[in-house]
Amino acid sequence: MISYIKQGALVIVLALAFGGALAAVQTQLGPMIEANQKRETLQAIPSLMALGQKLPDDAIVKINADKMEINVKVPVEGGEPKLMFTEVVRKIDVPNSPKTKLFEIKVLTPAMAQLIEKKAITPDQIPVLGYMIEAYGMGFADKIVTLVGVDKTCSWITGVYVLDQKETPGLGDKIRGVWANQYAGMECKTPLQVVKGLKKPAAGDAVTSASMLGAIDAIGGATISSQAVTDIVNKAVKDVRNALSAMKPKGGSDAN
């Protein structure tokens, strides 16, 4: 009996020790992980909001995490890189849903910045490019975290970026890559559907029910992961619409 008590006490002591060690590691690394994720989020925004269009290959993206700004520059021969535009990111407080991570994206050109400096326009008049929401759900192996971008009227999906995933290497993990590019340009009015072996219409062909506008081509051998991301995107679009509707009485996008 005494031996069992000693073993039980040892298990408890070890559990407390390991639990304390894990908590200490999380306390130390937590802020660093959060900061890295914030930078990755900001780094993804220019492509995420581009409606499937690539930035110039020589574009230089510079992140200012403190100001929540992304400067996009292009090299100029014989001079300093020239600023193309700045994307200003602002977290929106969603009524009745404080945990929703919804962001408003505004685009500031050098010409607009000069007008603001001359007080010809106010910062409030910087046009809204669109909105981005952090959305997540369960995949085949674990939670999948995505960033979903929509235009300013939530009519089109501008892009999807997989921020974190632990799907099967070589199969489900393909959700993070070029596969997700197919969401860009999809309409928001109807839920997207996953189709195995989707045959898309050739250039010039009419879009028919067989080609299914709004269909997402499943990853071979990873339909569950493909469906998980699509479900997350569909819910994200719905959440953005609900949030924008809730903010309308306060002035549309609730911009300051």
Side-chain angles (χ1 to χ4, degrees):
M1 176 65 73
I2 294 175
S3 175
Y4 288 136
I5 294 174
K6 287 182 177 179
Q7 290 177 4
L10 178 61
V11 169
I12 293 173
V13 170
L14 289 174
L16 291 173
F18 284 121
L22 288 173
V25 169
Q26 178 62 32
T27 300
Q28 186 174 4
L29 296 182
M32 187 184 302
I33 293 171
E34 186 176 345
N36 288 339
Q37 192 174 67
K38 181 179 179 181
R39 288 192 61 84
E40 186 178 0
T41 297
L42 293 174
Q43 191 82 30
I45 287 176
S47 296
L48 188 74
M49 303 303 299
L51 202 60
Q53 301 298 311
K54 276 188 65 178
L55 290 174
D57 292 334
D58 58 355
I60 302 167
V61 179
K62 186 175 181 180
I63 304 300
N64 187 325
D66 293 331
K67 290 186 176 181
M68 293 290 280
E69 292 182 354
I70 306 116
N71 292 323
V72 179
K73 299 180 178 181
V74 291
V76 176
E77 188 175 352
E80 292 294 322
K82 184 179 179 181
L83 180 66
M84 293 175 63
F85 58 84
T86 297
E87 287 180 329
V88 183
V89 184
R90 185 179 67 88
K91 172 76 168 63
I92 294 178
D93 294 325
V94 180
N96 303 319
S97 186
K99 292 185 178 180
T100 299
K101 293 184 178 180
L102 179 65
F103 300 86
E104 176 188 73
I105 317 296
K106 288 187 171 186
V107 60
L108 176 65
T109 64
M112 288 180 195
Q114 290 181 359
L115 290 174
I116 291 174
E117 189 176 347
K118 294 176 181 177
K119 298 186 178 180
I121 63 172
T122 66
D124 291 345
Q125 292 173 288
I126 301 173
V128 174
L129 181 63
Y131 298 91
M132 179 190 72
I133 189 169
E134 183 180 305
Y136 56 87
M138 282 301 301
F140 177 76
D142 203 342
K143 184 169 75 171
I144 297 172
V145 183
T146 69
L147 303 172
V148 180
V150 299
D151 71 324
K152 64 181 179 181
T153 60
C154 198
S155 299
W156 301 92
I157 295 171
T158 60
V160 171
Y161 179 80
V162 177
L163 190 62
D164 188 37
Q165 59 82 31
K166 297 177 180 65
E167 300 299 275
T168 307
L171 290 172
D173 67 348
K174 292 179 181 178
I175 59 174
R176 186 169 189 176
V178 296
W179 177 83
N181 292 347
Q182 62 186 309
Y183 290 98
M186 294 287 188
E187 292 187 0
C188 295
K189 64 181 180 181
T190 55
L192 305 179
Q193 301 178 51
V194 174
V195 178
K196 295 181 182 180
L198 176 66
K199 293 183 179 179
K200 296 185 178 180
D205 290 350
V207 176
T208 64
S209 57
S211 64
M212 293 185 65
L213 182 65
I216 298 300
D217 190 14
I219 298 169
T223 304
I224 294 176
S225 300
S226 307
Q227 186 65 58
V229 176
T230 302
D231 289 342
I232 293 168
V233 172
N234 284 333
K235 184 178 183 303
V237 169
K238 184 178 179 180
D239 289 345
V240 173
R241 283 189 160 176
N242 290 340
L244 296 182
S245 296
M247 292 186 294
K248 277 183 180 178
K250 297 175 62 178
S253 66
D254 191 34
N256 291 325

